Amino acid sequence: MDKNQALQRVTELRKTLRRADYLYYQEAQSEISDKEYDQLMQELINLEEKFELETPDSPSQRVGGAPTKNFETVSHPVPMLSLSNTYNHDEVDEFDRRVRESLGHSDFTYMVELKYDGMAIRLRYENGTLVLGATRGDGSKGDDITNNIKTVKDIPLRVEQTVAEIMEIRGEAYMERDAFAEMNRKREEAGDATFANPRNATAGTLKLQDSKIVATRPIRFFTYDFLIDGNSKMAQSEKLDMLEKMGFPVCEHRQKCDSIEEVHQLIDKWDQSRNSYPFETDGVVVKVNEDRFRDELGQTAKAPRWAVAYKFEAERAVTRLNDITLQVGRLGSITPVAELEPVLLAGTTVKRASLHNQDEIERKDIRIGDQVTIEKAGEIIPQVVEVLDKENPTRSQPYVFPKECPACSEKLVRLPGEVAWRCVNIQCPPQMRSRIQHFASRDALDIDGLGEAIVDQLVTENLISDFTDLYELELEQLIPLERMGEKSAQNLIDSIANSKRQPFDRVLYALGIRFVGTTVARDLARAFSSMTALIEASEEELTAVDSIGPKIAESVRFFLDDAKNLRLVERLKGFGLAMEAEEKEKAGDSLEGKTFVITGTLPILKRNEAKALIEEHGGKVTGSVSKNTDMLLAGEEAGSKLQKAEKLGIAIISEEMLFEMLNHQ
Ligand code: IVH
């Protein structure tokens, strides 16, 4: 294929992929399968790379790029204001009166939209191409998060029928409730912290430096404003229609109202149905529709005078707290739960509410038997807002948080800096199933055929009580299980046996150590190369590894300091699972047994290159100088490590000396 042919194919692929994105996200349809989409995307990426055909508006940009260190600050040519809030119909009437008084007539209409509960974003298109995506920041300056924004498939990277050379688009990034819940479920399973609500998840995601991760998160976008150089002379309703025509996502819940009475009716209607939308909304925005009146009404320092937000009241109910129970999460975190006298709230009967943690119970002084107010506000699970009868002399005693796991009686622990108590017994029954599933999952030991239903049966039938038992399962035990024929039983036995061939880093990940995801597991395996070395590593040596901070180091140490966990590891080793990283091709062994620390800026090598070079020759690199260090490789501007090495009498070498050592092997 020559460059011309490549360009032709690239153009074709882009067109197909753009159409697929549009259909999928705007029209909820698809003409091609996910698999086909992925294949076409890969073909596009390969061709663009090979023939240097990358462009900023290519759909290949959707997958994210290299991580950045910092976001650039960008000024907003037109400030991103906020809205004044109103909380009842009287205040909305008050707004209407102010508008009419200011204008001196009533010859205008309102545009009413939902208020999406996410994160405000500004987009800039030049000649139809998306050139900038930015956060609101302080309203006049925000962060340039273009790389992250490009991964949001709702947002067109190019607009075919652009209406102006420069278009500024404003809108809200958000997550749908279901996608949010699913993402949290997966995070919990992987031992990652969960997000409190879709809004936090959206903001947290869009501020990540690694756009490849952003690309995996379910961020969506609604457009609500459109500015072009000079005055567009378009009413809000026309702007939204125009945006929709250009391929931008615009929420279908929008309506023009001729009078404030109509606005009131719409507010009530939407308030009633707000729980049925797939996304969260915290109110309604009422905007003067006609552009010319907006200019006339102007704005205060913070908010326009032509619009107002009506905030929905968080739905609340009062009921009795019958009991407090503890829930053991999939990875051992303990959540206290309020067992309530059933009560109707936001269209559903609520029997339980989250009490979050011990501090929260103490802060609100929540006791068994109390009358409490509960609320659903942005959160999926109802919350206990407050206790109503604190003065009641017959109240029960303050709640004492149990010291033991309700499921397995293991002593609960609370790591410094964490709010949650946790049960660290990885054989604790409620944790068992999810730990086994994690062990077998695709990125871990990839045991095909060990889905949720099978794990459930294996545990219920007492065939396994932790993941190590998998390796003792026999064909005869599996065949009688439901939905299991001889063939699938044999397949399962085979895939369990095959999993023994998985590399050490996957075994590490499979153990389900808190905060040890696939990347951390890989880094640990590379840095310590064997389970024995890892078990011996101090917290300090752990934090010396690039991706490992104190929190992860502490969690790893905590896991490996537990005799029960070590027994499981031993058992896995006994079954033949990899406990050592595969030997890399060694360039030599002249540095065998020597421990190095690298500091300062080296003349030629980057630090990680020097590290790789030392390791290829059998040496080890750690992060801090101690009496176990043999040599300090020091470059320019070496600081405290150099001083410490001098004090301890450790050999200090330059990069040149290192090269010499390697040449004389
Ligand atoms: S119009 C001049 N329309 O609410 C400000 N804002 O408190 C014009 N928001 O930061 C904003 N849905 O991110 C507008 N339909 C909607 C909205 C909306 C959500 C957010 C927006 C802004 C905040 C204002």
Side-chain angles (χ1 to χ4, degrees):
M1 190 183 267
D2 65 21
K3 192 157 180 171
N4 249 333
Q5 288 164 319
L7 185 61
Q8 214 169 26
R9 177 69 182 146
V10 160
T11 312
E12 214 172 272
L13 286 166
R14 285 178 186 159
K15 202 170 147 206
T16 313
L17 290 167
R18 272 190 196 119
R19 180 169 164 78
D21 279 347
Y22 176 80
L23 281 181
Y24 189 84
Y25 288 94
Q26 296 336 316
E27 309 282 332
Q29 289 177 29
S30 41
E31 283 176 352
I32 56 174
S33 69
D34 288 0
K35 195 167 157 207
E36 241 174 305
Y37 181 94
D38 290 345
Q39 279 168 353
L40 296 177
M41 180 64 94
Q42 200 51 53
E43 186 185 346
L44 176 64
I45 292 171
N46 294 345
L47 284 176
E48 284 183 349
E49 210 173 275
K50 188 163 166 206
F51 293 95
E52 294 180 358
L53 293 170
E54 285 112 336
T55 58
D57 62 357
S58 167
S60 62
Q61 302 281 317
R62 299 279 196 209
V63 297
T68 50
K69 275 256 175 312
N70 285 308
F71 294 124
E72 301 277 328
T73 304
V74 281
S75 310
H76 306 315
V78 179
M80 293 178 75
L81 301 177
S82 53
L83 291 164
S84 348
N85 289 326
T86 59
Y87 297 92
N88 53 50
H89 285 290
D90 286 349
E91 288 176 5
V92 176
D93 277 336
E94 182 57 35
F95 162 75
D96 174 62
R97 196 160 37 244
R98 271 199 314 271
V99 170
R100 277 186 290 126
E101 261 171 34
S102 260
L103 294 177
H105 61 81
S106 305
D107 196 13
F108 60 91
T109 59
Y110 285 118
M111 186 65 187
V112 185
E113 297 161 29
L114 281 175
K115 187 167 189 298
Y116 323 112
D117 198 9
M119 185 187 189
I121 297 291
R122 168 189 155 214
L123 307 173
R124 184 179 177 87
Y125 288 80
E126 288 177 2
N127 298 314
T129 300
L130 174 72
V131 295
L132 175 75
T135 64
R136 176 171 182 269
D138 63 6
S140 55
K141 288 189 299 312
D143 286 337
D144 175 346
I145 56 163
T146 312
N147 289 343
N148 290 345
I149 286 299
K150 282 185 174 178
T151 69
V152 179
K153 301 216 180 53
D154 268 337
I155 298 177
L157 299 176
R158 211 176 72 195
V159 179
E160 299 294 345
Q161 295 165 296
T162 175
V163 294
E165 203 174 311
I166 294 175
M167 298 196 300
E168 286 270 342
I169 310 281
R170 304 272 163 95
E172 194 90 350
Y174 67 97
M175 270 184 206
E176 291 197 341
R177 276 193 263 255
D178 286 354
F180 163 77
E182 174 63 11
M183 180 187 79
N184 253 358
R185 194 187 62 72
K186 284 197 191 135
R187 289 181 67 82
E188 185 168 358
E189 214 168 81
D192 294 329
T194 52
F195 291 105
N197 53 46
R199 177 172 21 86
N200 287 2
T202 304
T205 298
L206 287 177
K207 288 193 175 153
L208 290 173
Q209 301 289 347
D210 189 344
S211 52
K212 285 218 161 61
I213 302 179
V214 181
T216 67
R217 305 262 178 94
I219 305 271
R220 307 288 314 253
F221 192 76
F222 274 137
T223 313
Y224 55 67
D225 205 2
F226 168 48
L227 314 153
I228 55 179
D229 251 1
N231 203 325
S232 73
K233 297 273 183 280
M234 264 187 283
Q236 175 71 7
S237 50
E238 292 163 350
K239 281 185 187 173
L240 295 182
D241 292 345
M242 167 82 87
L243 282 165
E244 197 168 35
K245 245 191 245 132
M246 284 193 284
F248 287 96
V250 183
C251 183
E252 58 176 315
H253 301 285
R254 57 183 202 263
Q255 196 170 310
K256 202 174 112 182
C257 293
D258 289 330
S259 69
I260 199 71
E261 286 70 36
E262 255 182 73
V263 173
H264 287 308
Q265 279 167 18
L266 198 54
I267 288 176
D268 286 343
K269 188 171 142 204
W270 283 352
D271 196 353
Q272 295 268 313
S273 51
R274 68 199 237 213
N275 292 310
S276 65
Y277 306 137
F279 51 85
E280 309 234 310
T281 144
D282 57 342
V284 169
V285 187
V286 183
K287 305 175 180 179
V288 170
N289 194 27
E290 291 77 15
D291 202 71
R292 57 186 186 282
F293 300 139
R294 289 188 180 186
D295 289 348
E296 213 175 315
L297 289 162
Q299 60 195 48
T300 67
K302 280 205 237 121
R305 290 203 187 86
W306 46 262
V308 80
Y310 172 91
K311 298 278 272 195
F312 289 140
E313 215 176 290
E315 293 188 56
R316 290 185 169 192
V318 173
T319 189
R320 181 177 187 272
L321 186 144
N322 289 332
D323 199 4
I324 296 177
T325 56
L326 299 187
Q327 207 169 47
V328 187
R330 289 161 188 267
L331 290 178
S333 61
I334 306 287
T335 312
V337 175
E339 303 290 343
L340 306 165
E341 195 56 40
V343 61
L344 203 64
L345 174 68
T348 49
T349 305
V350 175
K351 297 189 192 110
R352 311 178 89 199
S354 172
L355 293 170
H356 300 286
N357 52 55
Q358 181 181 8
D359 295 352
E360 183 86 355
I361 297 177
E362 284 170 6
R363 197 168 57 78
K364 292 181 179 160
D365 188 19
I366 297 169
R367 306 185 191 183
I368 294 169
D370 283 348
Q371 284 295 115
V372 292
T373 308
I374 58 167
E375 172 181 292
K376 256 190 195 171
E379 272 75 31
I380 309 291
I381 308 161
Q383 318 288 311
V384 171
V385 186
E386 59 175 349
V387 172
L388 292 175
D389 52 357
K390 276 200 179 144
E391 307 307 320
N392 183 348
T394 63
R395 273 183 95 195
S396 65
Q397 291 301 305
Y399 178 71
V400 181
F401 207 89
K403 298 280 171 289
E404 289 171 359
C405 172
C408 73
S409 305
E410 176 96 2
K411 199 162 169 284
L412 297 176
V413 296
R414 189 169 167 176
L415 297 176
E418 290 205 351
V419 283
W421 287 92
R422 37 185 77 247
C423 168
V424 292
N425 174 14
I426 67 170
Q427 285 160 313
C428 170
Q431 299 180 49
M432 211 155 62
R433 287 161 215 242
S434 52
R435 285 193 178 271
I436 295 169
Q437 250 154 43
H438 171 76
F439 186 83
S441 65
R442 192 182 299 176
D443 289 338
L445 294 190
D446 194 15
I447 303 178
D448 222 17
L450 202 63
E452 210 173 313
I454 302 291
V455 171
D456 255 6
Q457 288 190 68
L458 291 173
V459 173
T460 324
E461 302 286 324
N462 282 328
L463 292 174
I464 57 174
S465 58
D466 62 54
F467 46 68
T468 64
D469 293 339
L470 290 170
Y471 295 97
E472 286 185 330
L473 283 174
E474 287 173 15
L475 191 66
E476 294 73 43
Q477 295 176 298
L478 296 181
I479 295 173
L481 297 182
E482 254 172 66
R483 270 175 284 149
M484 181 71 89
E486 203 163 323
K487 185 142 180 274
S488 42
Q490 186 58 52
N491 286 345
L492 182 53
I493 292 282
D494 291 346
S495 53
I496 292 174
N498 284 339
S499 74
K500 293 182 186 174
R501 291 207 293 267
Q502 295 288 3
F504 176 48
D505 61 299
R506 279 176 174 255
V507 177
L508 255 182
Y509 172 66
L511 292 175
I513 305 173
R514 202 152 174 255
F515 306 129
V516 178
T518 48
T519 315
V520 171
R522 228 172 282 141
D523 289 351
L524 283 174
R526 206 173 297 142
F528 295 94
S529 69
S530 75
M531 187 55 98
T532 321
L534 187 62
I535 291 172
E536 282 170 7
S538 66
E539 256 181 67
E540 213 187 6
E541 284 166 325
L542 286 166
T543 40
V545 179
D546 253 1
S547 59
I548 296 177
K551 214 166 94 178
I552 305 178
E554 188 181 3
S555 165
V556 171
R557 262 308 359 129
F558 193 84
F559 185 92
L560 294 173
D561 284 339
D562 189 325
K564 265 204 294 292
N565 295 341
L566 291 181
R567 270 201 299 279
L568 293 179
V569 169
E570 263 317 298
R571 243 168 94 77
L572 292 178
K573 191 173 173 188
F575 289 123
L577 275 89
M579 292 295 158
E580 282 180 22
E582 275 161 37
E583 284 275 310
K584 261 203 264 149
E585 281 284 315
K586 266 200 186 164
D589 56 6
S590 54
L591 305 179
E592 190 70 53
K594 296 251 184 307
T595 302
F596 287 75
V597 172
I598 309 173
T599 184
T601 315
L602 303 173
I604 301 170
L605 298 177
K606 292 207 188 90
R607 262 196 228 198
N608 54 358
E609 290 168 347
K611 180 169 182 273
L613 191 67
I614 291 169
E615 286 171 351
E616 278 162 24
H617 288 81
K620 199 172 122 185
V621 178
T622 64
S624 56
V625 176
S626 74
K627 58 181 188 333
N628 299 326
T629 311
D630 293 298
M631 288 183 192
L632 180 79
L633 171 58
E636 279 202 26
E637 286 174 52
S640 60
K641 287 184 187 166
L642 181 61
Q643 284 170 10
K644 191 162 175 199
E646 278 169 347
K647 217 160 91 196
L648 292 173
I650 288 164
I652 295 159
I653 61 163
S654 65
E655 186 184 74
E656 204 183 328
M657 285 155 89
L658 175 72
F659 290 146
E660 256 174 49
M661 282 162 69
L662 297 179
N663 283 334
H664 291 116
Q665 49 182 308

